[in-house]
Amino acid sequence: MSTCTTASRQLDEPISGTAATARTWLLIEQPGPWGAKALTSSHLDPALGRALKAAAQGTGVRIALIRRPGRHADCGSPAERHVYVAHTTPGNVWLHSAMTRDAGQLLDLDLAALGAGDPRSFEEVLQGRPHTGEPLALVCTNGKRDRCCALLGRPLAAELAASGVGGTWEVTHLGGHRFSPTVLILPHGYAYGRAEAHAVKEILQGVREGRVVTEGCRGNSAWERPGQAAELAVRTAAREHAAGVLTVIRTDGTAPRWEVTVAHSDGRLWRVVVAQGASLPPRPESCGSALGSPARMDVVAVRQLEETAVAVAC
């Protein structure tokens, strides 16, 4: 059976610079079935889902539903649900968690503040606290958006959970169906594609050790797609694996060409030229869709600004 994932793999489509963009992720537990637009087509009150979606517009917050791996009986909403919020911008990375019996409380959150990296409304409204457990591994499994997410994502989530990866959740949508199984790792916000269980475990071990695994990485959701590709290119060029030390401080230009400035916490700077190309030959971006040429982020040049590094050192 040919799928969008099969075509992408066979054509060796580049994966860098394809992550969903979000400075902050708000994750709401909702067991049971999900529709293609899960916020308004699940057992979450659709009016609440619409209101949350509207409130998040322009705030840098991306909202998704999560559920534990396994069978998803149609049993309505839970009496109490997990809620997580994670901010992914280097220098202010955090992950908080809470439990709530009233999902309507979510409307009292200050989403603009959460998007800017301020967790106080989460603490005040939901009595949220810093998450002290394992990092989260969110596996996209929403087959109503694309069958690959169910066919490939659900077995991966089940395998991770069965092997004791306690932070495993299924999530409604991470984009990039053709890179399934897709995984988002929080708190740092790096997304991965074509993931396998052993690789996810290595990625999570890296999080515990404060390092970023770049193999199979789609990018950090804190940045727009040119910035995602630029940061990963700098990591490769500089052999830099430490988490939280690289920041995209400037992006000049517009599609199809950008110059991205990436800064290291030690003062070094790089200028990265990123060009938007078209993936050829045409392939489906999702199962059942017409053939197309998805945009790809090609790194044309990576140059360290030596003079700046010397000036900072002095």
Side-chain angles (χ1 to χ4, degrees):
M1 177 179 61
S2 179
T3 64
C4 64
T5 301
T6 303
S8 179
R9 282 180 182 271
Q10 290 176 341
L11 295 169
D12 196 24
E13 184 178 348
I15 206 166
S16 174
T18 66
T21 300
R23 293 191 304 271
T24 299
W25 291 82
L26 177 61
L27 307 169
I28 306 163
E29 183 180 8
Q30 181 55 64
W34 297 332
K37 297 181 179 179
L39 272 180
T40 54
S41 53
S42 71
H43 285 306
L44 185 73
D45 179 356
L48 173 60
R50 284 191 293 271
L52 286 170
K53 182 177 179 181
Q57 291 292 323
T59 65
V61 176
R62 187 178 177 108
I63 303 174
L65 303 184
I66 57 173
R67 63 190 178 195
R68 287 297 190 185
R71 295 180 61 85
H72 304 297
D74 193 351
C75 55
S77 294
E80 191 172 35
R81 69 182 81 217
H82 289 81
V83 183
Y84 295 96
V85 65
H87 189 66
T88 63
T89 303
N92 187 30
V93 171
W94 47 261
L95 171 62
H96 288 208
S97 62
M99 300 291 292
T100 183
R101 291 180 175 273
D102 178 11
Q105 288 182 302
L106 297 168
L107 291 175
D108 295 328
L109 294 173
D110 185 341
L111 296 186
L114 291 175
D118 181 350
R120 285 177 294 181
S121 72
F122 191 79
E123 298 166 353
E124 294 163 359
V125 173
L126 299 177
Q127 287 72 59
R129 295 292 180 268
H131 177 68
T132 57
E134 291 291 296
L136 303 186
L138 306 165
V139 183
C140 186
T141 63
N142 191 352
K144 290 296 178 68
R145 291 194 70 100
D146 192 282
R147 63 182 176 179
C148 286
C149 296
L151 292 173
L152 300 175
R154 290 193 65 188
L156 173 62
E159 182 178 355
L160 289 171
S163 63
V165 180
T168 304
W169 291 87
E170 297 186 6
V171 67
T172 48
H173 184 47
L174 297 177
H177 317 297
R178 64 193 183 279
F179 304 124
S180 295
T182 60
V183 181
L184 176 71
I185 304 297
L186 293 176
H188 291 288
Y190 286 92
Y192 293 82
R194 302 174 186 144
E196 298 179 3
H198 69 88
V200 175
K201 292 175 184 178
E202 180 184 343
I203 292 163
L204 292 170
Q205 184 59 33
V207 174
R208 299 182 193 102
E209 296 172 358
R211 58 183 173 85
V212 176
V213 173
T214 56
E215 185 175 357
C217 190
R218 300 175 62 194
N220 187 327
S221 75
W223 316 127
E224 297 293 332
R225 291 182 177 183
Q228 295 172 13
E231 187 219 338
L232 290 175
V234 170
R235 286 193 175 279
T236 299
R239 299 182 181 179
E240 178 58 80
H241 302 290
V245 298
L246 294 179
T247 302
V248 174
I249 61 171
R250 181 169 177 168
T251 301
D252 296 308
T254 58
R257 192 177 181 90
W258 301 266
E259 288 194 357
V260 182
T261 305
V262 178
H264 195 290
S265 57
D266 64 10
R268 285 178 290 166
L269 292 174
W270 289 263
R271 184 72 47 77
V272 184
V273 179
V274 180
Q276 179 176 300
S279 298
L280 296 172
R283 78 288 311 275
E285 293 191 52
S286 297
C287 289
S289 69
L291 296 182
S293 300
R296 52 186 280 173
M297 295 293 142
D298 295 320
V299 173
V300 177
V302 179
R303 180 170 63 94
Q304 184 175 346
L305 305 181
E306 298 288 351
E307 66 278 8
T308 304
V310 170
V312 170
C314 294

